[in-house]
Amino acid sequence: MVEALGVAVVGFGWMGRVHTQAYARVRHHYPRLALRPELVTVAEEVPGRAEEAAAQFGFASTTRDWREVAADPRIGAVSITAPNFLHREIAVAMAEAGKHIWIEKPVGLTAGDARAVADAVAKAGVQGAVGFNYRNAPAVEAARDLIGAGEIGTVTHVRIRLFSDYAAHPESALTWRFERERGGSGVLGDLASHGADLARFLLGDIASLTADTAVFLPERARPAGATAGHSRAAGGEPGPVENEDYVNCLLRFASGARGVLEACRVSVGEQNNYGFEVHGTTGAVYWDFRRMNELGVSRGTTYQDQPVSTVYVGPGHGEFAAFQPGAANAMGYDDLKVVEAHRFLRSVAEGTPYGATLTDAVHSAAVLDAMARSAERGTWVVPELPG
């Protein structure tokens, strides 16, 4: 028997929409899932936005105050897709109210915020999932399996890149994303958080690092009203950009491997150029998000002039079979969030965590904090990872 689970979405920008669509689709792809998510409430403080979401997606009710969600006995699970500075307060309140939470990264502004949420979830005995969606790509899971099986020998070094142009326009509005108090560490939290998670997902813990950061567009115009996404505000009152546009980081892994992680939100000419290159003693593996369903693989014993083959992921890789019947049929970004929704709901149904958890969020946040300390001090830093 399939049990209904009342869900709420707190914050209905683009990511709130993506979570909602994932809830709507999840049982289409995973018909054996023991829970059926029911859209109970959408919470959004921007006037009219929650009502529009309810009309389009069928939420039973709306509110401008997320605290009403915590108090609502109809709701068993909550997606938290509000701005970063609200993550800790909302997530802790939801956990204390006995709600399972699916929260977007970076789970607050600091590692302390992430730890507070993880502790609240553990104390309440609820499940907590985190939006590290890129690890859900079947090609990324295939790469991890290949690396773990020793198919490229002993890993020597990795390069992880996350380049985008979403903030490259000089007229981009000075939203909360560019403020230290509300947006935290800028591109570190926004993009490098994914890179830190991918690094650990593929190669294990980071032992130490050294980083450099920069702000390339130091001033932006303040918006006149509510904003959505990465909007522009030409002619508005100028204000300072308080957090990072760019970070590069050298990594030393506990395994002895070395790495480079680089992220930028103002890279003109780059649109979601996210990916990695992992090199080992007998081969290498390559992944590019823009060709999400392909994996470049080099393996063998020729070493010099060894070719790279393109592998099209298929039903034997990750969760591909839930979406497509054969290799080279494309999956997209929203499908990764459906995978995430399934793993979250399965965790709730079985009481066992599946997919990215708040422990993963704490590890990523600890690496980000270490990057910030390193950039400030100009030294190598050891991340304060959870025990």
Side-chain angles (χ1 to χ4, degrees), residues 5 9 20 37 41 52 87 90 94 115 152 211 254 261 277 295:
L5 177 70
V9 176
T20 302
T41 300
E52 291 176 5
H87 283 189
I90 296 173
M94 295 302 172
R115 288 189 179 94
I152 62 170
L261 192 162
E277 304 154 15
L295 203 59

Side-chain angles (χ1 to χ4, degrees), residues 8 55 59 65 70 79 105 110 137 140 150 154 169 171 173 178 214 222 227 235 257 275 300 305 322 327 329 334 381:
F59 286 96
D65 185 353
S79 279
K105 56 81 209 169
T110 65
V140 173
T154 301
H169 202 290
E171 295 178 356
F178 302 103
R222 300 184 189 279
T227 59
D305 300 326
N329 286 291
D334 284 10
V381 170

Side-chain angles (χ1 to χ4, degrees), residues 98 126 175 339 352:
V126 296
T175 64
V339 173
T352 300

Side-chain angles (χ1 to χ4, degrees), residues 179-193:
E179 298 175 5
R180 182 71 64 183
E181 185 176 348
R182 298 196 296 166
S185 56
V187 76
L188 275 71
D190 196 15
L191 294 181
S193 57

Side-chain angles (χ1 to χ4, degrees), residues 68-120:
E68 293 183 6
V69 173
D72 193 335
R74 299 175 299 168
I75 297 167
V78 181
S79 279
I80 301 171
T81 56
N84 299 351
F85 66 96
L86 296 172
H87 283 189
R88 176 174 179 167
E89 181 183 9
I90 296 173
V92 169
M94 295 302 172
E96 289 176 347
K99 319 291 188 189
H100 306 283
I101 63 170
W102 176 15
I103 185 170
E104 278 304 311
K105 56 81 209 169
V107 189
L109 304 180
T110 65
D113 287 347
R115 288 189 179 94
V117 175
D119 290 346

Side-chain angles (χ1 to χ4, degrees), residues 97-305:
K99 319 291 188 189
H100 306 283
I101 63 170
W102 176 15
I103 185 170
E104 278 304 311
K105 56 81 209 169
V107 189
L109 304 180
T110 65
D113 287 347
R115 288 189 179 94
V117 175
D119 290 346
V121 164
K123 183 177 180 180
V126 296
Q127 296 295 318
V130 181
F132 290 128
N133 41 267
Y134 298 111
R135 63 156 61 191
N136 297 328
V140 173
E141 295 193 296
R144 186 193 194 202
D145 291 344
L146 184 151
I147 293 165
E151 291 290 319
I152 62 170
T154 301
V155 172
T156 54
H157 60 284
V158 59
R159 183 168 71 124
I160 300 173
R161 69 187 184 281
L162 298 112
F163 299 146
S164 189
D165 63 356
Y166 65 78
H169 202 290
E171 295 178 356
S172 295
L174 188 68
T175 64
W176 60 268
R177 292 182 181 277
F178 302 103
E179 298 175 5
R180 182 71 64 183
E181 185 176 348
R182 298 196 296 166
S185 56
V187 76
L188 275 71
D190 196 15
L191 294 181
S193 57
H194 283 297
D197 181 66
L198 284 173
R200 178 168 172 264
F201 184 71
L202 294 170
L203 303 182
D205 284 343
I206 295 168
S208 61
L209 59 83
T210 184
D212 183 35
T213 62
V215 178
F216 295 134
L217 294 176
E219 193 172 81
R220 297 178 186 271
R222 300 184 189 279
T227 59
H230 304 288
S231 56
R232 299 181 188 176
E237 180 186 354
V241 171
E242 299 174 350
N243 54 26
E244 299 84 352
D245 288 330
Y246 171 83
V247 61
N248 68 62
C249 185
L250 298 179
L251 306 170
R252 291 174 179 166
F253 290 86
S255 66
R258 298 299 196 262
V260 177
L261 192 162
E262 191 176 14
C264 185
R265 65 189 180 187
V266 296
S267 297
V268 175
E270 301 284 9
Q271 296 86 40
N272 296 335
N273 182 359
Y274 309 151
F276 56 75
E277 304 154 15
V278 183
H279 294 267
T281 52
T282 61
V285 59
Y286 311 83
W287 180 71
D288 186 329
F289 169 66
R290 298 164 301 177
R291 304 177 72 90
M292 192 178 82
N293 304 289
E294 300 177 15
L295 203 59
V297 180
S298 178
R299 52 189 164 185
T301 57
T302 58
Y303 302 100
Q304 190 175 5
D305 300 326

Side-chain angles (χ1 to χ4, degrees), residues 292-362:
M292 192 178 82
N293 304 289
E294 300 177 15
L295 203 59
V297 180
S298 178
R299 52 189 164 185
T301 57
T302 58
Y303 302 100
Q304 190 175 5
D305 300 326
Q306 185 163 288
V308 177
S309 300
T310 298
V311 175
Y312 296 101
V313 294
H317 301 111
E319 298 289 323
F320 188 93
F323 298 87
Q324 299 292 351
N329 286 291
M331 288 176 62
Y333 176 89
D334 284 10
D335 295 331
L336 302 184
K337 298 309 261 190
V338 176
V339 173
E340 209 166 275
H342 170 251
R343 289 173 173 171
F344 171 51
L345 294 170
R346 184 181 176 191
S347 299
V348 173
E350 300 180 17
T352 300
Y354 294 95
T357 67
L358 284 158
T359 297
D360 298 310
V362 173

